[in-house]
Amino acid sequence: TLSRLPILQVFKEVKAKTSTLSGQVQTQLKLDIPLSPALKHKLSVQATARLQDVALNIPSWMVDFSQMSGVVNIENEAVSANALTGRYYGDPVRLSVVPDPKHGRTGFQMSGKLQSQHLLQLVPEYLRQPVSGVSSWNIAASVAHQADQQQPLLKLSARSDLAGTRLEFPEPARILAEQPQNLLFDAELSTQGEFIFDLDLSAQLKAHGKLDLSDNAQSRMQYLTVGLG
């Protein structure tokens, strides 16, 4: 299948962390294989994959997709998709994939009405439990093809007006579901498992923190700095 092609081993970091990958894929594949070193050509791959009810689960990256359907295009190390549909932790979403070969990364854009608590899978329970409700979210992620200590393995940003979400934290961080507030969230995950994030909740508060998500750690908060107002 496509995931076994040697030229796609640039995604080995994703493959190594994947716990579930299943579903139906119909593939049209074109290979250009040089038969002589004198040709000075590299192996070339062009493929179109039609996904049907594909499931992908990467717990350490908050990835839990199911019923993913749509068309994925592959040209050598570049993977793209314009309009995939499916479910993220059970909620319907739209997903697009944009290649970034210049920086050796692949970008993902996801949007939908999501249960906000599902976006807090990596944080300790005491930060996740007070959050409830469903809001519209726009989420962007960028994944490095190769582990490199000079750049983040994963970049993540999320935007929402939190309309429909309730935050039962102490004042002034308490937000009712009928009180929309613009939320900006940006984070980076290093190859060492350090998850550094910034949270900007309109004029109410700003937070900066770091989680330890290394293989030997269970989502341990290393520090959290909160500024009010």
Side-chain angles (χ1 to χ4, degrees):
T1 62
L2 290 177
S3 63
R4 294 191 176 96
L5 289 174
I7 202 163
L8 294 180
Q9 289 305 303
V10 292
F11 300 105
K12 65 181 181 180
E13 293 298 324
V14 175
K15 185 177 180 180
K17 297 179 182 299
T18 299
S19 63
T20 302
L21 178 59
S22 62
Q24 299 181 22
V25 180
Q26 295 181 345
T27 306
Q28 293 180 329
L29 183 63
K30 177 183 177 182
L31 293 177
D32 185 358
I33 304 174
L35 300 180
S36 170
L39 296 177
K40 297 182 180 180
H41 290 315
K42 294 182 178 180
L43 170 66
S44 175
V45 176
Q46 289 183 323
T48 299
R50 296 185 179 276
L51 312 184
Q52 183 176 351
D53 290 334
V54 169
L56 173 64
N57 183 254
I58 310 176
S60 61
W61 285 4
M62 291 192 307
V63 172
D64 190 342
F65 288 114
S66 61
Q67 300 178 24
M68 295 300 297
S69 299
V71 177
V72 176
N73 297 304
I74 297 174
E75 185 170 353
N76 296 326
E77 297 176 359
V79 179
S80 62
N82 291 325
L84 300 179
T85 60
R87 293 185 176 273
Y88 177 78
Y89 284 100
D91 296 323
V93 295
R94 294 180 65 85
L95 179 70
S96 61
V97 184
V98 181
D100 183 8
K102 180 179 178 181
H103 299 100
R105 308 183 70 90
T106 296
F108 300 84
Q109 302 279 342
M110 183 178 75
S111 62
K113 298 200 71 171
L114 309 175
Q115 295 188 55
S116 298
Q117 192 180 77
H118 288 163
L119 301 175
L120 300 172
Q121 299 292 325
L122 300 181
V123 305
E125 177 66 21
Y126 64 85
L127 292 176
R128 182 168 65 248
Q129 193 275 334
V131 179
S132 62
V134 176
S135 295
S136 295
W137 286 88
N138 289 294
I139 299 170
S142 173
V143 180
H145 295 170
Q146 302 282 356
D148 182 354
Q149 296 185 3
Q150 302 302 316
Q151 66 169 330
L153 183 60
L154 174 68
K155 295 181 180 180
L156 180 67
S157 66
R159 305 289 185 265
S160 176
D161 63 6
L162 294 184
T165 290
R166 189 179 185 93
L167 306 182
E168 292 287 356
F169 292 107
E171 294 288 359
R174 185 170 181 266
I175 294 179
L176 302 180
E178 62 272 15
Q179 295 176 328
Q181 296 283 345
N182 289 329
L183 178 143
L184 308 177
F185 179 86
D186 295 286
E188 293 184 350
L189 176 65
S190 72
T191 55
Q192 294 81 22
E194 293 182 340
F195 188 76
I196 300 174
F197 64 88
D198 289 287
L199 171 68
D200 188 335
L201 190 55
S202 190
Q204 286 191 271
L205 66 83
K206 293 179 173 57
H208 175 73
K210 180 164 73 171
L211 287 165
D212 183 354
L213 301 179
S214 61
D215 292 340
N216 297 323
Q218 293 253 334
S219 183
R220 183 169 60 89
M221 183 72 74
Q222 293 190 330
Y223 65 78
L224 177 63
T225 304
V226 178
L228 303 177

